Amino acid sequence: MNVLLLGSGGREHAMAWKISQSKLCSKLFIAPGNAGTRSCGTNIEMAPTDFDSIKKFCTDKKIDMVIVGPEEPLVNGIVDFFANDKSVSHIPVIGPSANGAQLEGSKAYSKKFMQRYKIPTAAYREFDLDNYEEGIAYLKDHPLPIVLKADGLAAGKGVVICQSRVEAMAEYELMLQHNKFGKAGKKIVVEEFLKGVELSMFVLTDGNHFVILPEAKDYKRIGEGDRGPNTGGMGAVSPVPFADKRFINKVESTIIKPTIEGLKKENIKYKGFIFIGLMVVGEDPYVIEYNCRLGDPETEVVIPRLKNDLLELFVAVAEEELDKVTIEQESRVASTIMCVSGGYPGSYEKGFEIKGLNKEYPSGSFVFQAGTKTEGDKILTNGGRVLCVTSFGDTVHEAVDKSREVLQEIDFDGMYYRRDIGYEFMS
Ligand code: AMP
Ligand code: GLY
């Protein structure tokens, strides 16, 4: 098969690495990819949201399947675009339709969806300029902390957790009156704060059947000890010790099954990943958010732990035969540590040479690149999250230690990474 993968992050490098190992893969193209994906296939300079160019490329190169990494093309309707154009409608695109992607694209939509199907989630109300005053009254009586969420996509920055009512009122006004998050914040969700432990679950569905992929724990804060501002993700581990069979069964019956049934009932075309962000309160899972894609950096531990041929899974999705598939997971622990540019998640400089790459890494360790690009034979930093090192180990401790060892060899100006990934699972 000729495959086109859209995206350019560490998630896409991990997916490209796995796809390139598939016995079904003839040619793999990554658009636009990064310096790391070059070792798995051919990078193509093409934006994942430029549907016309993607269509032309698919026709010219006889592409048999398109796999979408990030959310934006999905929310913009790439699946519908292909389905509605006779010249490319035969090419399966792995991902939900625009309607399905609304589970991530609109928090208000996903909250209503969860309410309709009695899926456990934090209590909430939604407000915009039309019911602005009602929102003020609601905030006055709301227990603290208060969670405010911009309805639309806000590059992971649209959630504000307010510790006081004054702060909540100020944020509320900033979002609704002063367009703090632009169009994404024209509507907001005000939500009850859930105190618990976060967990990322990943489901692959063909619209009818589903399989559950390995779960992961993501470390979102920039600083060690989970301090400082939120980032895209500074590291991850999989499996997560408390997510035992009993717990996963509970998530399956209270969340995953009603989600898939809900999508079916509403005739929403969904052939792709559902990333369910959970807050586990006591022993009970609540949905904090749905995403219509895999997580980053979770993918960099989930995909290495997946023993199945990834393209075979995608073919089963396209043919609606996921019920014939059994997921096989590597039982060892995988951990990943993300290296970021100095200053991230605030402003940072790009273009620093990365030294120590392209070496033979110890067995069971992998470098997945994210914000990187090539210049001649050099690899330069090209983003906030630059690269991550994933390692397998018998314990979280061993896996993290192995990644840290590899990181000793890698260097660029301003490089920073957390040394405490997996800390709560180490004895
Ligand atoms: P999101 O963009 O929805 O993933 O939210 C970003 C982060 O805010 C999450 O990873 C949680 O740490 C936190 N968060 C979101 N909603 C809640 C909530 N209802 N209660 C507590 N924390 C939350
Ligand atoms: N690591 C969280 C995300 O991909 O949204």
Side-chain angles (χ1 to χ4, degrees):
M1 286 170 71
N2 294 335
V3 176
L4 172 64
L5 170 66
L6 301 179
S8 61
R11 167 181 53 212
E12 285 76 21
H13 188 182
M15 289 172 91
W17 168 79
K18 182 78 176 164
I19 292 166
S20 68
Q21 295 164 37
S22 166
K23 60 175 190 292
L24 300 179
C25 184
S26 321
K27 281 192 193 140
L28 172 63
F29 300 94
I30 309 102
N34 59 40
T37 57
R38 285 177 320 155
S39 59
C40 314
T42 309
N43 284 354
I44 304 295
E45 258 186 63
M46 187 163 68
T49 46
D50 180 358
F51 297 171
D52 286 318
S53 299
I54 293 170
K55 171 182 147 185
K56 184 169 182 315
F57 183 84
C58 286
T59 313
D60 290 351
K61 298 287 178 190
K62 300 195 166 46
I63 295 294
D64 299 298
M65 179 178 278
V66 179
I67 298 157
V68 187
E71 63 278 14
E72 208 185 343
L74 296 167
V75 172
N76 292 357
I78 189 166
V79 168
D80 314 78
F81 176 91
F82 268 66
N84 296 330
D85 187 320
K86 278 208 177 71
S87 65
V88 284
S89 59
H90 60 285
I91 304 173
V93 182
I94 302 299
S97 61
N99 276 343
Q102 282 301 295
L103 282 184
E104 173 165 3
S106 164
K107 303 257 186 218
Y109 175 92
S110 74
K111 294 295 278 190
K112 274 199 212 102
F113 179 90
M114 287 185 260
Q115 239 179 10
R116 276 201 294 284
Y117 299 101
K118 302 195 170 43
I119 294 166
T121 187
Y124 83 105
R125 285 278 307 273
E126 105 190 35
F127 299 102
D128 56 22
L129 284 178
D130 291 338
N131 61 353
Y132 189 84
E133 292 303 325
E134 246 178 82
I136 298 277
Y138 188 72
L139 289 177
K140 278 192 182 133
D141 285 336
H142 198 289
L144 294 172
I146 307 174
V147 184
L148 301 189
K149 299 185 170 184
D151 175 53
L153 293 181
K157 299 196 175 78
V159 175
V160 188
I161 296 172
C162 304
Q163 302 297 337
S164 74
R165 282 194 188 81
V166 174
E167 189 191 347
M169 298 282 183
E171 276 298 334
Y172 182 77
E173 188 182 320
L174 272 177
M175 287 191 192
L176 286 181
Q177 302 267 23
H178 303 288
N179 300 319
K180 178 176 175 186
F181 295 113
K183 230 175 86 194
K186 276 196 168 323
K187 195 191 287 179
I188 62 172
V189 162
V190 178
E191 181 171 290
E192 164 199 20
F193 179 81
L194 296 175
K195 192 166 169 42
V197 185
E198 282 184 63
L199 177 73
S200 305
M201 295 280 305
F202 300 95
V203 174
L204 182 63
T205 179
D206 59 15
N208 208 8
H209 320 98
F210 65 87
V211 290
I212 303 177
L213 304 175
E215 77 286 351
K217 169 96 180 25
D218 172 23
Y219 293 78
K220 285 210 170 81
R221 304 293 194 97
I222 186 77
E224 288 173 8
D226 293 324
R227 296 200 178 90
N230 260 335
T231 69
M234 296 296 293
V237 297
S238 175
V240 179
F242 67 81
D244 56 14
K245 185 119 189 64
R246 211 173 118 237
F247 178 81
I248 303 279
N249 285 344
K250 196 187 250 185
V251 176
E252 178 170 354
S253 61
T254 63
I255 294 169
I256 300 174
K257 278 190 178 152
T259 301
I260 303 289
E261 286 306 315
L263 290 169
K264 266 203 267 186
K265 211 165 154 191
E266 300 191 12
N267 281 322
I268 293 173
K269 205 176 144 213
Y270 205 119
K271 290 185 166 195
F273 294 105
I274 311 178
F275 161 2
I276 307 174
L278 296 178
M279 186 68 84
V280 187
V281 184
E283 291 196 351
D284 293 326
Y286 290 81
V287 178
I288 293 193
E289 62 166 349
Y290 287 110
N291 295 302
C292 57
R293 53 175 171 85
L294 284 178
D296 195 352
E298 290 97 326
T299 305
E300 292 93 304
V301 289
V302 168
I303 288 290
R305 285 197 62 228
L306 184 69
K307 286 188 171 172
N308 303 64
D309 181 314
L310 191 54
L311 274 188
E312 268 181 17
L313 284 185
F314 290 148
V315 168
V317 168
E319 293 178 354
E320 293 181 27
E321 290 193 332
L322 262 187
D323 54 326
K324 302 202 173 113
V325 163
T326 308
I327 292 296
E328 286 172 50
Q329 305 188 8
E330 164 67 53
S331 58
R332 284 180 300 166
V333 175
S335 80
T336 197
I337 302 177
M338 184 65 75
C339 294
V340 302
S341 297
Y344 174 84
S347 59
Y348 55 84
E349 285 178 59
K350 303 188 217 179
F352 297 113
E353 185 177 354
I354 308 170
K355 303 206 180 91
L357 285 175
N358 295 328
K359 290 213 171 122
E360 279 288 310
Y361 302 111
S363 143
S365 286
F366 317 91
V367 173
F368 295 120
Q369 297 186 31
T372 65
K373 65 171 185 186
T374 47
E375 195 177 85
D377 52 10
K378 289 182 183 161
I379 297 180
L380 307 182
T381 65
N382 192 37
R385 294 193 294 172
V386 174
L387 58 89
C388 62
V389 181
T390 297
S391 300
F392 280 120
D394 290 332
T395 61
V396 176
H397 214 296
E398 193 184 306
V400 170
D401 275 352
K402 276 173 70 181
S403 285
R404 283 167 58 172
E405 230 163 86
V406 172
L407 280 164
Q408 300 290 321
E409 308 284 315
I410 298 173
D411 189 38
F412 57 86
D413 274 8
M415 175 169 122
Y416 167 78
Y417 59 89
R418 276 180 62 169
R419 281 154 216 277
D420 68 341
I421 299 304
Y423 67 91
E424 71 273 55
F425 306 126
M426 293 187 189
S427 38

PDB file of all heavy atoms in Angstrom, residues 11 218 220 232-233 275 289 291 293-298 385, ligand 2:
ATOM      1  N   ARG A  11       4.350  12.513  17.658  1.00  0.00           N
ATOM      2  CA  ARG A  11       3.290  11.519  17.416  1.00  0.00           C
ATOM      3  C   ARG A  11       3.433  10.940  16.006  1.00  0.00           C
ATOM      4  O   ARG A  11       3.388   9.718  15.808  1.00  0.00           O
ATOM      5  CB  ARG A  11       1.926  12.210  17.565  1.00  0.00           C
ATOM      6  CG  ARG A  11       0.753  11.411  17.060  1.00  0.00           C
ATOM      7  CD  ARG A  11      -0.550  12.178  17.218  1.00  0.00           C
ATOM      8  NE  ARG A  11      -0.476  13.498  16.635  1.00  0.00           N
ATOM      9  CZ  ARG A  11      -1.124  14.575  17.083  1.00  0.00           C
ATOM     10  NH1 ARG A  11      -1.945  14.471  18.099  1.00  0.00           N
ATOM     11  NH2 ARG A  11      -0.985  15.738  16.499  1.00  0.00           N
ATOM     12  N   ASP A 218       0.232  11.096  31.036  1.00  0.00           N
ATOM     13  CA  ASP A 218       0.966  12.204  30.415  1.00  0.00           C
ATOM     14  C   ASP A 218       1.388  13.171  31.527  1.00  0.00           C
ATOM     15  O   ASP A 218       0.689  13.292  32.528  1.00  0.00           O
ATOM     16  CB  ASP A 218      -0.021  12.859  29.431  1.00  0.00           C
ATOM     17  CG  ASP A 218       0.464  14.143  28.812  1.00  0.00           C
ATOM     18  OD1 ASP A 218       1.673  14.370  28.756  1.00  0.00           O
ATOM     19  OD2 ASP A 218      -0.407  14.927  28.356  1.00  0.00           O
ATOM     20  N   LYS A 220       1.892  16.967  32.052  1.00  0.00           N
ATOM     21  CA  LYS A 220       1.576  18.173  31.264  1.00  0.00           C
ATOM     22  C   LYS A 220       2.347  19.414  31.689  1.00  0.00           C
ATOM     23  O   LYS A 220       2.580  20.303  30.888  1.00  0.00           O
ATOM     24  CB  LYS A 220       0.080  18.480  31.370  1.00  0.00           C
ATOM     25  CG  LYS A 220      -0.792  17.558  30.551  1.00  0.00           C
ATOM     26  CD  LYS A 220      -2.067  18.265  30.091  1.00  0.00           C
ATOM     27  CE  LYS A 220      -2.820  17.444  29.080  1.00  0.00           C
ATOM     28  NZ  LYS A 220      -3.636  16.394  29.677  1.00  0.00           N
ATOM     29  N   GLY A 232       2.239  21.035  25.980  1.00  0.00           N
ATOM     30  CA  GLY A 232       1.624  19.967  25.191  1.00  0.00           C
ATOM     31  C   GLY A 232       1.831  18.605  25.822  1.00  0.00           C
ATOM     32  O   GLY A 232       1.101  17.666  25.547  1.00  0.00           O
ATOM     33  N   GLY A 233       2.835  18.484  26.674  1.00  0.00           N
ATOM     34  CA  GLY A 233       3.160  17.195  27.311  1.00  0.00           C
ATOM     35  C   GLY A 233       4.664  17.019  27.380  1.00  0.00           C
ATOM     36  O   GLY A 233       5.353  17.200  26.380  1.00  0.00           O
ATOM     37  N   PHE A 275      -9.431   9.598  21.718  1.00  0.00           N
ATOM     38  CA  PHE A 275      -8.531   9.748  22.865  1.00  0.00           C
ATOM     39  C   PHE A 275      -9.417  10.292  23.974  1.00  0.00           C
ATOM     40  O   PHE A 275      -9.995  11.364  23.854  1.00  0.00           O
ATOM     41  CB  PHE A 275      -7.418  10.695  22.437  1.00  0.00           C
ATOM     42  CG  PHE A 275      -6.600  11.376  23.499  1.00  0.00           C
ATOM     43  CD1 PHE A 275      -6.758  11.171  24.868  1.00  0.00           C
ATOM     44  CD2 PHE A 275      -5.602  12.259  23.093  1.00  0.00           C
ATOM     45  CE1 PHE A 275      -5.978  11.831  25.805  1.00  0.00           C
ATOM     46  CE2 PHE A 275      -4.818  12.925  24.016  1.00  0.00           C
ATOM     47  CZ  PHE A 275      -5.011  12.710  25.378  1.00  0.00           C
ATOM     48  N   GLU A 289     -12.116  15.252  28.704  1.00  0.00           N
ATOM     49  CA  GLU A 289     -12.192  15.682  27.308  1.00  0.00           C
ATOM     50  C   GLU A 289     -12.087  14.490  26.384  1.00  0.00           C
ATOM     51  O   GLU A 289     -11.510  13.464  26.732  1.00  0.00           O
ATOM     52  CB  GLU A 289     -11.065  16.668  26.987  1.00  0.00           C
ATOM     53  CG  GLU A 289      -9.696  16.056  27.154  1.00  0.00           C
ATOM     54  CD  GLU A 289      -8.573  16.869  26.543  1.00  0.00           C
ATOM     55  OE1 GLU A 289      -8.841  17.817  25.806  1.00  0.00           O
ATOM     56  OE2 GLU A 289      -7.407  16.523  26.802  1.00  0.00           O
ATOM     57  N   ASN A 291     -10.611  13.671  22.491  1.00  0.00           N
ATOM     58  CA  ASN A 291      -9.869  14.179  21.345  1.00  0.00           C
ATOM     59  C   ASN A 291     -10.084  13.202  20.196  1.00  0.00           C
ATOM     60  O   ASN A 291     -10.301  12.006  20.429  1.00  0.00           O
ATOM     61  CB  ASN A 291      -8.374  14.296  21.655  1.00  0.00           C
ATOM     62  CG  ASN A 291      -8.115  15.339  22.735  1.00  0.00           C
ATOM     63  OD1 ASN A 291      -8.481  16.498  22.593  1.00  0.00           O
ATOM     64  ND2 ASN A 291      -7.518  14.927  23.833  1.00  0.00           N
ATOM     65  N   ARG A 293      -8.022  12.182  17.941  1.00  0.00           N
ATOM     66  CA  ARG A 293      -6.697  11.812  17.426  1.00  0.00           C
ATOM     67  C   ARG A 293      -5.945  11.115  18.539  1.00  0.00           C
ATOM     68  O   ARG A 293      -6.452  11.022  19.652  1.00  0.00           O
ATOM     69  CB  ARG A 293      -5.964  13.105  17.066  1.00  0.00           C
ATOM     70  CG  ARG A 293      -6.007  14.019  18.308  1.00  0.00           C
ATOM     71  CD  ARG A 293      -5.255  15.285  18.229  1.00  0.00           C
ATOM     72  NE  ARG A 293      -5.561  16.128  19.380  1.00  0.00           N
ATOM     73  CZ  ARG A 293      -4.971  16.066  20.564  1.00  0.00           C
ATOM     74  NH1 ARG A 293      -4.020  15.179  20.772  1.00  0.00           N
ATOM     75  NH2 ARG A 293      -5.325  16.862  21.550  1.00  0.00           N
ATOM     76  N   LEU A 294      -4.724  10.692  18.259  1.00  0.00           N
ATOM     77  CA  LEU A 294      -3.883  10.168  19.335  1.00  0.00           C
ATOM     78  C   LEU A 294      -3.241  11.328  20.098  1.00  0.00           C
ATOM     79  O   LEU A 294      -3.147  12.445  19.585  1.00  0.00           O
ATOM     80  CB  LEU A 294      -2.791   9.271  18.760  1.00  0.00           C
ATOM     81  CG  LEU A 294      -3.227   7.874  18.306  1.00  0.00           C
ATOM     82  CD1 LEU A 294      -2.034   7.122  17.710  1.00  0.00           C
ATOM     83  CD2 LEU A 294      -3.813   7.075  19.468  1.00  0.00           C
ATOM     84  N   GLY A 295      -2.781  11.080  21.311  1.00  0.00           N
ATOM     85  CA  GLY A 295      -2.128  12.116  22.114  1.00  0.00           C
ATOM     86  C   GLY A 295      -0.645  12.207  21.810  1.00  0.00           C
ATOM     87  O   GLY A 295      -0.042  11.274  21.290  1.00  0.00           O
ATOM     88  N   ASP A 296      -0.084  13.345  22.132  1.00  0.00           N
ATOM     89  CA  ASP A 296       1.349  13.546  21.968  1.00  0.00           C
ATOM     90  C   ASP A 296       1.856  14.150  23.270  1.00  0.00           C
ATOM     91  O   ASP A 296       1.381  15.232  23.628  1.00  0.00           O
ATOM     92  CB  ASP A 296       1.578  14.498  20.782  1.00  0.00           C
ATOM     93  CG  ASP A 296       3.009  14.489  20.299  1.00  0.00           C
ATOM     94  OD1 ASP A 296       3.852  13.876  20.974  1.00  0.00           O
ATOM     95  OD2 ASP A 296       3.279  15.098  19.254  1.00  0.00           O
ATOM     96  N   PRO A 297       2.680  13.498  24.059  1.00  0.00           N
ATOM     97  CA  PRO A 297       3.592  12.401  23.730  1.00  0.00           C
ATOM     98  C   PRO A 297       3.088  10.993  24.050  1.00  0.00           C
ATOM     99  O   PRO A 297       3.875  10.048  23.995  1.00  0.00           O
ATOM    100  CB  PRO A 297       4.797  12.710  24.614  1.00  0.00           C
ATOM    101  CG  PRO A 297       4.187  13.254  25.879  1.00  0.00           C
ATOM    102  CD  PRO A 297       2.973  14.032  25.421  1.00  0.00           C
ATOM    103  N   GLU A 298       1.786  10.821  24.351  1.00  0.00           N
ATOM    104  CA  GLU A 298       1.329   9.470  24.695  1.00  0.00           C
ATOM    105  C   GLU A 298       1.616   8.465  23.574  1.00  0.00           C
ATOM    106  O   GLU A 298       1.972   7.311  23.828  1.00  0.00           O
ATOM    107  CB  GLU A 298      -0.178   9.469  24.995  1.00  0.00           C
ATOM    108  CG  GLU A 298      -0.566  10.163  26.294  1.00  0.00           C
ATOM    109  CD  GLU A 298      -1.014  11.596  26.082  1.00  0.00           C
ATOM    110  OE1 GLU A 298      -0.458  12.261  25.164  1.00  0.00           O
ATOM    111  OE2 GLU A 298      -1.904  12.056  26.798  1.00  0.00           O
ATOM    112  N   ARG A 385       8.488  21.757  21.449  1.00  0.00           N
ATOM    113  CA  ARG A 385       8.841  20.378  21.795  1.00  0.00           C
ATOM    114  C   ARG A 385       9.713  19.847  20.673  1.00  0.00           C
ATOM    115  O   ARG A 385       9.290  19.805  19.506  1.00  0.00           O
ATOM    116  CB  ARG A 385       7.567  19.549  21.985  1.00  0.00           C
ATOM    117  CG  ARG A 385       6.786  20.048  23.200  1.00  0.00           C
ATOM    118  CD  ARG A 385       5.718  19.090  23.625  1.00  0.00           C
ATOM    119  NE  ARG A 385       4.662  18.956  22.636  1.00  0.00           N
ATOM    120  CZ  ARG A 385       3.688  18.047  22.716  1.00  0.00           C
ATOM    121  NH1 ARG A 385       3.645  17.207  23.726  1.00  0.00           N
ATOM    122  NH2 ARG A 385       2.746  17.985  21.800  1.00  0.00           N
TER     123      ARG A 385
HETATM  124  N1  GLY B   2      -0.784  15.044  25.495  1.00  0.00           N
HETATM  125  C1  GLY B   2      -2.083  15.568  25.402  1.00  0.00           C
HETATM  126  C2  GLY B   2      -2.601  15.762  24.045  1.00  0.00           C
HETATM  127  O1  GLY B   2      -2.077  15.275  23.069  1.00  0.00           O
HETATM  128  O2  GLY B   2      -3.617  16.439  23.910  1.00  0.00           O
END
